[in-house]
Amino acid sequence: MPITLTSIVVWLLAIIPIVTLLSVLYGALIYPRYFSPYKNMVALPKAHWLWGTFAEYAQGKFDQAEYMEKHHPGHAFTRFHGPLGSDHIMAQSVEAHIQILQVHAYKFVKPWFVSRRMKQVIGNGLFFSELEDHRTQRRIMTPAFTYGYVRSFVPIFMEKIKLACTIFDNHTKDGPAVFTQNPIFARLTLDAMGEATFGLNMHALDDENNELVAAYRKVSTMADSSMIEMCSGFIPGFKYLPLPRNIAVNRAKSIFREACRTVLLQKTGMLSDKQVQGKDRDIVSILLRDSDHNWTVDEIENQIKTLLLAGHETTSSAVTWTLWALVQHPYVQERLRHEVRAAFPGGIDDITSADAIESVQYLTNVVRESLRVYAPAPLTVREAIEDVIIEDTFIKKGTTVQISIAALNKSTTLWGPDAEEFNPDRWNSGPANNVFGFSTFLHGARACLGRKFAEVELKCIVAAFVAKYKFEKAVPDQTVEMDFILTAKPLGGLPLKVTKLEGW
């Protein structure tokens, strides 16, 4: 019987489903049990035969490393089951984290399925660049985040805080009111980051539906967890399909890109004018002025999106979690209010400098403790790009390794038996006996450049709002679940009862 094109197509249509099914069964049932290099490693109970621990992620559960540390302590690594039997492990010991994040930092990169998806959102900026590209970007951008420059951003923070206070005042004009916190603080931090990053007022606080903010939101919410967004990470070329979602996102990208281009042209023009050179103190101006790098529109756009998304999302989440900690510990809230008011007796207008806000030690304690207990990014992941041995454990190239920031931050080994409790006074005697006990901003080559920026902004916001308003649970038995996509936020945005206070 002659072989024809039709017979080949029929044969392929018959064989492909069979091969696919056998591959899935091998990956899900046979490889993990008999052939994986981690087959004898202590492992989490398998959540689902096909999707593994990812089934728990879909249910909003992200405390696997903490569970293993409590129930199976003393291991450098433990195993959790990836989808289709893929190799995933969790760093457990402090030394394992140090080796991955610091000693062998450039032997581990962000997994391909995360990078592909997120680079569509924020491009190849500092957050998702790797290896030599990351080293170069970090070297270029580090000077813009020195404390000297961060201090100059406080007037921007305070201007936006005062605008946000008018929203709170409107809600509470007739007395105590219950309203959702996170969306307001997300608008505040977006405006603050927009002006501090590239000198542009995005007007999220006074016009949250304007074209630029709407475009940014359309682009940034590509990071959500819907199935269609997951496809964009796993399926090559998905973003080029003529789907309504892709068309809308591309239009939003064009709007945002044009704003970046306009800003870049304005600033390069200004920098050629000796009369105005050096006056603009936003991050993009600092980068254009002080680095010898030849910036392109694409590079500037990537860095702006990286700083906006990473900066405003994490800080607004941190503010919201801090308020949740304070409503659960009203005596801490009252003490903090007393100390802020004592430090700034003239009210919010007295908060004019970073040095002044940094001088309120109890404020620093509260903010650090909130960031420790409620890390805005409780976990991150890395993929080994070569075989490596860490603490006598062979890690195969291609293995995904989970880094649990929450487990480090609440380690009883580093903090003692009360590690999970919110206790700002623990910072009076200094941090844990190992810097990895406070890993909210990571450590090593991938440590967050914007740490001091974020801490100062967070202190300004918390100080002003706790001094002006009293926060209580919306209902006496209120509980909160975590919603973790790009950052960890209280599910539902955290409704709280807010009362405007007199005397400040």
Side-chain angles (χ1 to χ4, degrees), residues 275-350:
Q275 293 183 335
V276 297
Q277 188 169 358
K279 288 187 177 181
D280 278 11
R281 297 184 66 83
D282 58 88
I283 292 171
V284 169
S285 292
I286 295 167
L287 293 174
L288 291 172
R289 183 176 63 242
D290 295 348
S291 78
D292 56 4
H293 183 69
N294 244 343
W295 292 94
T296 66
V297 173
D298 283 341
E299 289 174 323
I300 288 294
E301 180 188 9
N302 288 343
Q303 300 302 350
I304 288 174
K305 287 192 293 189
T306 296
L307 296 172
L308 278 179
L309 190 62
H312 106 271
E313 279 275 350
T314 52
T315 304
S316 63
S317 296
V319 173
T320 312
W321 284 119
T322 302
L323 293 180
W324 176 240
L326 294 176
V327 301
Q328 295 178 93
H329 302 84
Y331 58 93
V332 175
Q333 182 180 166
E334 187 55 42
R335 179 180 167 187
L336 177 60
R337 181 176 298 114
H338 173 77
E339 298 209 11
V340 170
R341 287 188 169 201
F344 306 103
I348 197 168
D349 290 332
D350 274 7

Side-chain angles (χ1 to χ4, degrees), residues 32-46 68 72 74-81 86-93 96 100 388-396 399-402:
R33 182 174 297 181
Y34 300 106
F35 298 105
S36 170
Y38 314 110
K39 63 184 179 183
N40 296 320
M41 185 178 284
V42 175
L44 277 165
K46 198 167 186 179
M68 293 300 283
H72 302 278
H75 296 277
F77 295 92
T78 56
R79 181 186 185 191
F80 74 98
H81 301 278
S86 52
D87 288 322
H88 291 247
I89 61 176
M90 296 183 289
Q92 292 289 149
S93 70
I100 292 170
V388 61
I389 295 176
I390 293 176
E391 288 216 271
D392 298 324
T393 301
F394 171 75
I395 300 176
K396 185 181 71 171
T399 299
T400 299
V401 183
Q402 178 177 300

Side-chain angles (χ1 to χ4, degrees), residues 13 20 42 81 88 91 99 136 168 203 239 257 274 285 310 348 373 394 396-397 409 458 467 477 483 500:
L13 289 176
T20 301
V42 175
H81 301 278
H88 291 247
Q99 292 289 317
T136 300
F168 270 64
H203 294 288
K239 65 180 179 178
R257 179 180 173 81
K274 298 298 183 183
S285 292
I348 197 168
V373 177
F394 171 75
K396 185 181 71 171
K397 176 182 177 181
N409 282 0
L458 181 56
D477 60 348
D483 179 22
K500 184 176 180 180

Side-chain angles (χ1 to χ4, degrees), residues 121-242:
V121 181
I122 58 179
N124 191 40
L126 182 65
F127 202 66
F128 280 95
S129 59
E130 299 289 357
L131 306 177
E132 194 56 41
D133 188 21
H134 178 264
R135 288 189 184 95
T136 300
Q137 290 195 37
R138 190 175 179 89
R139 175 182 56 79
I140 292 170
M141 296 190 68
T142 293
F145 289 92
T146 59
Y147 186 58
Y149 283 125
V150 169
R151 293 168 62 181
S152 69
F153 297 136
V154 170
I156 295 174
F157 300 156
M158 297 314 301
E159 176 191 347
K160 305 308 176 186
I161 287 169
K162 291 173 187 176
L163 278 174
C165 284
T166 63
I167 298 174
F168 270 64
D169 289 345
N170 186 55
H171 278 295
T172 58
K173 62 184 178 183
D174 297 321
V178 174
F179 55 95
T180 305
Q181 304 300 302
N182 187 257
I184 299 173
F185 289 112
R187 290 159 61 190
L188 189 167
T189 55
L190 180 58
D191 272 357
M193 284 302 300
E195 208 148 313
T197 300
F198 60 120
L200 184 66
N201 187 352
M202 297 184 70
H203 294 288
L205 282 167
D206 50 330
D207 181 13
E208 61 178 311
N209 296 313
N210 71 71
E211 185 180 55
L212 182 58
V213 172
Y216 169 75
R217 282 183 176 156
K218 175 62 72 174
V219 173
S220 64
T221 52
M222 287 171 63
D224 71 24
S225 60
S226 67
M227 184 56 66
I228 197 167
E229 303 302 342
M230 293 293 289
C231 289
S232 69
F234 284 95
I235 302 176
F238 185 85
K239 65 180 179 178
Y240 298 111
L241 297 177

Side-chain angles (χ1 to χ4, degrees), residues 14-46:
I15 200 69
I16 287 176
I18 297 173
V19 172
T20 301
L21 177 61
L22 291 175
S23 297
V24 168
L25 292 175
Y26 172 79
L29 301 176
I30 299 174
Y31 172 80
R33 182 174 297 181
Y34 300 106
F35 298 105
S36 170
Y38 314 110
K39 63 184 179 183
N40 296 320
M41 185 178 284
V42 175
L44 277 165
K46 198 167 186 179

